[in-house]
Amino acid sequence: MSKRDKQTADLEFVAGNGLIHRRMFLTQGAAMAGSLGLLSATPSHAEPLEIPPWMKAPGSHMSAYGQRSRYEDSVQRVVGGTPGVVGSGVSFTPIEKLHGTITPNSLHFERHHSGVPDIDPDGHQLLLHGLVDRPLVFSMDALMRYPTVTRIQFLECSGNSGTNLGPQAQQAPAGVLHGLMSCSEWTGVPLSILLEEAGVRRGANWVLAEGADAAGMSRSIPLEKMMDDAIIALYQNGERLRPENGYPMRLFLPGYEGNMSVKWLRRLKVNREPTMTRDETSHYTDVMLGGKALILTFPMGVKSLITSPSTGLNLTEPGRYEITGIAWSGAGKIARVEVSADGGNTWAEAALTEPVLSKSFTRFRMAWQWDGGPAVLMSRAIDESGSVQPTREALTREFGERRNYHNNGIQVWSVAARTGEVTNVYA
Ligand code: CO
């Protein structure tokens, strides 16, 4: 038996079309990966390596603000706009080119309704009023003195993955299909502290949040959510927010649809009822079967996505691959991710990379032996509340074809026989 045949014989296949037990990632990870033939280094003949040009003279000096390597310049957000509307549109995080779970600030997705305001923090204030005993106004300096909390959590636009609600599967990178979501370490002041200071009056149930952009983006948020885990975010991944993410302050509502985390926050008004703003009636409503619409739909559903292989990340030759992706849920932690290589006939449990955090990205991995034949790759996430990520077909059956938001359906990638080309398909 050749070494390669021996390796194949040792594999513990756990589901159809070549999925291998996650044990290899959980125990003795690196050693197992080696014995399974996932390592791809070239054998060395022990000659000394040549001295490359960058070793022959000193490199560049220290810098006051770092930049990535110029060889990584192609990793960019994909920017989309709304024709004829100044400053309205989106940019997508290139999720298929990133790893781990933290999105670099420069690549965090964007959705603006009237462009990015250039806010001088010394001229910015936050007003807290409405059904409170003591209306308060906060300068930046005042707010910066409050106690803060820090959490790693995702932000997802409610319109994310909307392309896959269309009648035909579109061929685009995973980031363009699903990149209206990102994950950061957010640091900010708990809303509960500010609301308690102002003294919320009896009968209050909602809080209107308004942004300082030219659209005056406004949403109504349940008071219960504000008192639970809402923060006024000041820092993202350790540095002050970027302008496109709400500098100098934004609301951050863990697990809720992205636009409710109002950027450039300037006003909070405590109310009895939701305000029914333009942004929660004309936009962000879910048209259902029969033409009725759901409004005020907040938590993002349990979801996962294989980022590699995916469109444009084709397989090169038969052999062993790591299938990897991300999973998240607006309801809490990811409990389990399952992967299928045979179009959903059989499933195997993927390895989750620690730490598994609440309302955060969780990275999953699955070892796979591709035999060069056709394969249909899918992932499905299950969260700690027991919710299971649905298929696109199940969502369409329940909600019809006209919904624009909250698509947490399973992404299906087809791998072509021999060429290994990956395409977006509807199963
Ligand atoms: Co919604």
Side-chain angles (χ1 to χ4, degrees):
M1 195 183 272
S2 75
K3 190 168 174 234
R4 181 151 281 240
D5 289 345
K6 171 77 168 64
Q7 285 168 355
T8 303
D10 286 346
L11 296 176
E12 190 178 352
F13 291 107
V14 283
N17 210 2
L19 294 182
I20 298 163
H21 198 284
R22 68 187 187 285
R23 180 176 351 271
M24 72 163 285
F25 291 120
L26 298 177
T27 57
Q28 313 146 27
M32 293 280 284
S35 73
L36 288 169
L38 273 172
L39 307 184
S40 55
T42 309
S44 166
H45 302 291
E47 299 100 351
L49 294 172
E50 274 180 44
I51 304 296
W54 45 84
M55 288 183 73
K56 293 178 178 169
S60 56
H61 200 61
M62 280 56 76
S63 60
Y65 197 86
Q67 301 293 328
R68 64 182 169 179
S69 163
R70 61 193 171 99
Y71 300 102
E72 298 299 321
D73 279 351
S74 68
V75 181
Q76 303 268 349
R77 288 190 282 230
V78 174
V79 178
T82 309
V85 182
V86 176
S88 179
V90 292
S91 71
F92 299 90
T93 297
I95 49 177
E96 76 283 2
K97 294 175 178 170
L98 302 177
H99 221 295
T101 53
I102 299 290
T103 310
N105 289 348
S106 305
L107 295 173
H108 194 287
F109 85 89
E110 301 164 281
R111 167 78 174 106
H112 313 311
H113 294 74
S114 194
V116 180
D118 178 24
I119 297 178
D120 175 352
D122 293 337
H124 184 80
Q125 292 181 307
L126 170 65
L127 173 65
L128 172 52
H129 68 143
L131 289 175
V132 294
D133 296 331
R134 290 170 298 280
L136 299 170
V137 65
F138 303 88
S139 67
M140 279 310 300
D141 285 346
L143 195 63
M144 296 292 281
R145 287 201 293 273
Y146 280 78
T148 59
V149 294
T150 297
R151 303 189 196 103
I152 297 172
Q153 283 164 331
F154 76 84
L155 189 69
E156 182 181 19
C157 179
S158 60
N160 191 32
S161 314
T163 302
N164 271 359
L165 293 172
Q168 255 109 46
Q170 302 293 310
Q171 300 313 317
V176 173
L177 296 172
H178 304 287
L180 294 181
M181 49 115 182
S182 302
C183 186
S184 298
E185 185 199 77
W186 300 97
T187 296
V189 180
L191 250 302
S192 57
I193 295 176
L194 307 183
L195 288 166
E196 275 161 22
E197 184 181 3
V200 174
R201 290 198 173 156
R202 190 187 290 262
N205 289 303
W206 292 81
V207 180
L208 173 74
E210 178 186 75
D213 58 337
M217 237 297 292
S218 304
R219 289 296 310 259
S220 302
I221 294 113
L223 180 63
E224 192 181 4
K225 178 68 174 177
M226 289 299 222
M227 296 300 287
D228 178 17
D229 59 0
I231 63 169
I232 296 178
L234 303 169
Y235 294 85
Q236 182 182 358
N237 294 329
E239 65 179 2
R240 294 291 297 276
L241 302 179
R242 296 282 170 104
E244 68 265 34
N245 268 297
Y247 183 86
M249 64 170 83
R250 80 175 303 165
L251 191 57
F252 188 79
L253 304 174
Y256 273 25
E257 58 186 22
N259 73 89
M260 298 179 71
S261 287
V262 173
K263 296 186 284 195
W264 317 295
L265 185 68
R266 72 185 293 266
R267 190 163 72 97
L268 294 168
K269 185 178 183 191
V270 181
N271 293 315
R272 280 179 207 284
E273 305 282 346
T275 305
M276 299 299 178
T277 70
R278 175 191 64 216
D279 301 297
E280 59 203 10
T281 52
S282 68
H283 295 84
Y284 305 113
T285 63
D286 309 320
V287 181
M288 311 273 289
L289 283 169
K292 287 197 174 184
L294 293 176
I295 60 169
L296 309 174
T297 52
F298 304 145
M300 298 306 289
V302 61
K303 190 165 172 182
S304 70
L305 165 75
I306 294 170
T307 52
S308 179
S310 62
T311 323
L313 301 180
N314 301 330
L315 308 185
T316 50
E317 58 184 334
R320 276 154 228 159
Y321 288 87
E322 181 186 89
I323 297 170
T324 187
I326 40 188
W328 65 99
S329 169
K333 291 183 185 180
I334 290 297
R336 198 162 83 245
V337 177
E338 297 168 343
V339 171
S340 175
D342 57 11
N345 290 322
T346 59
W347 297 84
E349 193 173 341
L352 305 184
T353 301
E354 296 289 339
V356 176
L357 301 170
S358 182
K359 303 173 188 176
S360 186
F361 280 2
T362 295
R363 172 71 50 181
F364 66 86
R365 298 184 292 164
M366 168 68 73
W368 180 39
Q369 171 82 22
W370 182 48
D371 64 6
V376 177
L377 302 179
M378 306 159 71
S379 66
R380 92 180 151 202
I382 298 99
D383 69 22
E384 64 181 344
S385 78
S387 293
V388 181
Q389 184 180 4
T391 61
R392 181 183 183 279
E393 188 191 11
L395 280 173
T396 304
R397 226 183 299 122
E398 188 175 355
F399 297 105
E401 298 273 5
R402 290 177 61 197
R403 211 160 78 131
N404 291 323
Y405 302 108
H406 292 279
N407 178 16
N408 66 328
I410 289 173
Q411 167 65 53
V412 187
W413 302 117
S414 167
V415 178
R418 288 180 303 107
T419 65
E421 188 188 0
V422 183
T423 50
N424 179 25
V425 295
Y426 294 163

